[in-house]
Amino acid sequence: MILTITTNEVHMSSLLSTTTSRRNLLLGGASLLGAAGLAACAPASGGSGGSGSKTLNVLFFGTQQKADETAKVAEPFIKANPGVTVKFTGINGTDWNDFFTKVLTQIAGGNPPDIVSVATEGVQLFAQKKLAHPLDEYVKRDKDQLASYFKDVHPSLVEAMMYKGNLYELPTDFNAGNMYFNTKVLKSSGLELPKPDWTMDEFKTLATAMKKGSPDAVPFDWVVRLWGSWTSFMYANGGNLLTEGKYSGGDWLWNDMYKGVTGAEGRGGGWQWGAPTANSDAVVESLDFVHELIAGGLSAKPDVGGGSTLQGLFSNDKIGMSIGGGFWAGGLHNAGMKPDAFDVQFFPKWKVQRHLFGTGGYGIFESSKNKDLAWEFLKSLVEPKSIEVLTAGNSTTPARRSMVTEERYAPTGPKNWKVFYDTLDKLPNSAPIPAPPYYNAMATALNQRTTEAMSSGNVKQALDGLQKDLETAAASTGS
Amino acid sequence: MTTVPARGGLPGARRAGGPRPRPHHTPAMRQESRFGWMMFALSGLAILVFTALPIVFTLLLSFFTWDVITPPQFVGFQNFQKLASDTAVIHSFGVTGLLAVLIVILQIVIGLTMALLVQQRKSTWARSIFRTAFFLPLLVSAASISIVFSYLFDTNFGVVNYYLQLIGIAPVDWMNSPAGATATIVIVAVWQKLGFVFILFVAALGSLPQDVLEAVSLDGSGPIRTFFSIKLPLISPTIFFAAVIGMIDAMQIFDQPYVMTKGGPGDSTTTTVMLIYRTAFQNIDFGYGSAISVVLFLLLLLLTWMQFTVSRKWVFYS
């Protein structure tokens, strides 16, 4: 490197001389370019690259401000490991699709992290591309240390973090698509929170009553996306965008950590998302149902995106019902809603009372030079104290059952908070959102075809298009 | 003719085979020369690194498949062959073309009209206020503007529909219908970029030769006749400039549809640059994304060439 600088200095001096020839100019220019190239290729200072430094770089989905707040989670770990630093970098995005795009761009830029926060949406993508490192050997080695964690976490969340028999993450939080109610709209319509086993007919009756009783509010609203959208209706109708299956494997985990645990039976080595079924009868019927809600004035026309607008409208009493997870409790509280201004119930039963969910956690990058250290940090992240930081303000639902308590939801609401974990415990058919390795293409196609269906009214044609899109996407990744 | 011998030889004399005379440089000249070369090197480096190299890299990448994670694979013209039959790409060019034509025409018509109206104001302060007000939107990021406008045009809860209903007009399905979404994007794009075109026309109208205008006025020409027969031909180079720059800019439209409609409903507002972004960054197919970029670049080149060719028939340079 010193030699390079010296050479550049020589050429720079040539450049600055008054008798510069064209040859010298070209040489100087080439040297400058070379230096720029080398600078671009050099690892960032403080990185965990080849320098052997003990810095763990963590990519976090959120603003840098949120990342800085979350970085507190690393304080006990840093204290216990002198000389180690943990750097949280926030990557902001409208949704997981946006986040992955930016993470992949960072990898393309030659700056892969050690650890990355990845939700269900990206687990299989990261695993299939061999970006994530399997945790199997670490878990087997430290199974005694992790016994209390697994005992506290529903097996469906753990299974959602597996791909082809390997475990890639330890879940820290999750969100299932439950139904939220604006208490003011309910009361002004003379209605009460429905019972847990309410049906889709009752949902429609309730929405109709809301329309009459609260003309200033729209009974139901939703967002065009994969999680908690019309896809919740699709799950309740027994449909899915892709054929459901399970990879074999994972026995080492189920036999060791979940032996005899209710809900662990029938678990495998992760969800295997097979051939697209986007234009199957159940799926078409589901989207048709939602389209009819809009046509009948029972639902607003949806936006595409993350759902912040939806929360804003809900908190301003403009919406009676919407699909939300535990994260809505924190979101609505931050939007100024009092704990009793909203409540939550299971999603209604149609053919089945099945919920979709997504779970989040942290994975180790295959390219990390500090995998052992990263694993130690990952273990510290699933400690109750860490999950307390990660789920602060009920920005999401803790993956540990013991942490979903009355005390937690007293400041924010809702009153019926038990629904969050009961969705997993009492409705064991709840399943993760379909998130194959081609998730990005799938999410884009879903958004596009849903808006097409809503604007044209031709649901079948739009879903036929989605089916083709998914077939193309699946073929391109060899899935 | 008198010649002054230069130092070191006869004027203009270059003896065949003889050494080239070395010009004498004073220290000030040397310093100026050094500074000049330094400036050249810096800007040259910036152009190379940030413009030339990415263009060359994109061109090269269009002949490969690359998913960022695994090494690129050479596929020859395969990406371009695929592109030729890709209905999504062809559709996106149609969408982009329609948006660009609408945006450029409206920008020029409204910008020119506003400039003419502002020119009527005699007081300098009024002109300054109008110029500043119309130029301000250009300083705000397109993404921020798009977010604000998406709230204003929301079908269910937007302010625009609220006021339309107050005057007895049924709510418009702004962003949930193909026509409404296209119209919304055009409105936002025109509103934001109008300031630039407006300033161009204000400057052009302000520099019209007063003697000519006075002459036609004395000849009894009315304002409409004066505009179409005198002013319009005289500012035709500005209109041409606005059309070329506007077209190049509008053909690369991304922010407004990305933020407001995500390319929907369906793919009715999916522009070519959005498709490039999706292909390269979301579907992680940088080779194919680069191929679409190259075709867009060539299309822009062709459009600009056509505009220059046609301009010979209507642009008046004097």
Side-chain angles (χ1 to χ4, degrees), chain B residues 176-251:
Chain B
N176 293 304
S177 68
T182 305
T184 313
I185 290 167
V186 170
I187 290 169
V188 177
V190 169
W191 180 82
Q192 196 194 2
K193 298 288 170 64
L194 200 60
F196 175 67
V197 182
F198 166 78
I199 290 289
L200 286 180
F201 287 132
V202 165
L205 290 169
S207 61
L208 289 179
Q210 288 305 310
D211 53 341
V212 175
L213 294 176
E214 278 167 23
V216 292
S217 177
L218 289 171
D219 285 346
S221 172
I224 295 174
R225 178 73 191 271
T226 305
F227 173 73
F228 284 105
S229 300
I230 305 295
K231 288 184 179 176
L232 208 55
L234 284 175
I235 62 164
S236 58
T238 309
I239 297 174
F240 175 60
F241 176 74
V244 170
I245 296 292
M247 185 58 80
I248 292 170
D249 184 52
M251 285 294 286

Side-chain angles (χ1 to χ4, degrees), chain B residues 48-100:
Chain B
L48 268 174
V49 173
F50 298 111
T51 308
L53 283 180
I55 289 174
V56 173
F57 188 60
T58 304
L59 190 63
L60 286 175
L61 211 53
S62 65
F63 296 101
F64 289 81
T65 56
W66 188 40
D67 66 356
V68 177
I69 298 146
T70 48
Q73 279 186 318
F74 183 73
V75 292
F77 284 92
Q78 216 175 76
N79 285 329
F80 293 97
Q81 283 168 346
K82 181 182 166 188
L83 194 150
S85 57
D86 190 336
T87 50
V89 176
I90 295 162
H91 177 76
S92 80
F93 278 117
V95 169
T96 311
L98 175 69
L99 286 172

Side-chain angles (χ1 to χ4, degrees), chain B residues 107-316:
Chain B
Q107 268 176 2
I108 291 174
V109 171
I110 300 172
L112 182 55
T113 309
M114 278 167 29
L116 283 167
L117 290 173
V118 169
Q119 282 299 103
Q120 307 299 315
R121 302 280 128 208
K122 297 294 177 200
S123 60
T124 316
W125 66 269
R127 284 188 198 183
S128 300
I129 286 174
F130 280 119
R131 275 204 293 261
T132 311
F134 291 139
F135 198 74
L136 269 179
L138 204 65
L139 306 177
V140 187
S141 81
S144 313
I145 285 173
S146 303
I147 290 170
V148 172
F149 270 82
S150 62
Y151 282 105
L152 296 177
F153 283 98
D154 188 287
T155 307
N156 308 292
F157 310 100
V159 178
V160 175
N161 272 354
Y162 172 76
Y163 283 110
L164 285 179
Q165 279 175 292
L166 283 187
I167 57 169
I169 299 173
V172 178
D173 218 354
W174 289 110
M175 284 182 291
N176 293 304
S177 68
T182 305
T184 313
I185 290 167
V186 170
I187 290 169
V188 177
V190 169
W191 180 82
Q192 196 194 2
K193 298 288 170 64
L194 200 60
F196 175 67
V197 182
F198 166 78
I199 290 289
L200 286 180
F201 287 132
V202 165
L205 290 169
S207 61
L208 289 179
Q210 288 305 310
D211 53 341
V212 175
L213 294 176
E214 278 167 23
V216 292
S217 177
L218 289 171
D219 285 346
S221 172
I224 295 174
R225 178 73 191 271
T226 305
F227 173 73
F228 284 105
S229 300
I230 305 295
K231 288 184 179 176
L232 208 55
L234 284 175
I235 62 164
S236 58
T238 309
I239 297 174
F240 175 60
F241 176 74
V244 170
I245 296 292
M247 185 58 80
I248 292 170
D249 184 52
M251 285 294 286
Q252 297 174 66
I253 189 166
F254 175 80
D255 310 52
Q256 293 88 351
Y258 181 76
V259 174
M260 296 176 75
T261 63
K262 295 275 181 200
D267 55 0
S268 60
T269 56
T270 303
T271 63
T272 309
V273 178
M274 274 187 80
L275 202 69
I276 291 168
Y277 171 75
R278 272 185 200 165
T279 308
F281 293 95
Q282 293 193 319
N283 299 343
I284 328 166
D285 190 349
F286 280 83
Y288 192 44
S290 298
I292 306 172
S293 306
V294 169
V295 172
L296 177 65
F297 170 73
L298 293 174
L299 189 74
L300 274 172
L301 210 62
L302 180 71
L303 275 173
T304 310
W305 175 79
M306 281 167 67
Q307 282 178 304
F308 269 91
T309 307
V310 176
S311 73
R312 286 179 203 138
K313 291 182 179 172
W314 66 273
V315 178
F316 174 73

Side-chain angles (χ1 to χ4, degrees), chain A residues 154-156 159 254 258-268:
Chain A
H154 195 275
S156 62
E159 190 184 34
W254 307 122
Y258 284 97
K259 202 168 187 179
V261 173
T262 312
E265 59 279 357
R267 301 285 166 194

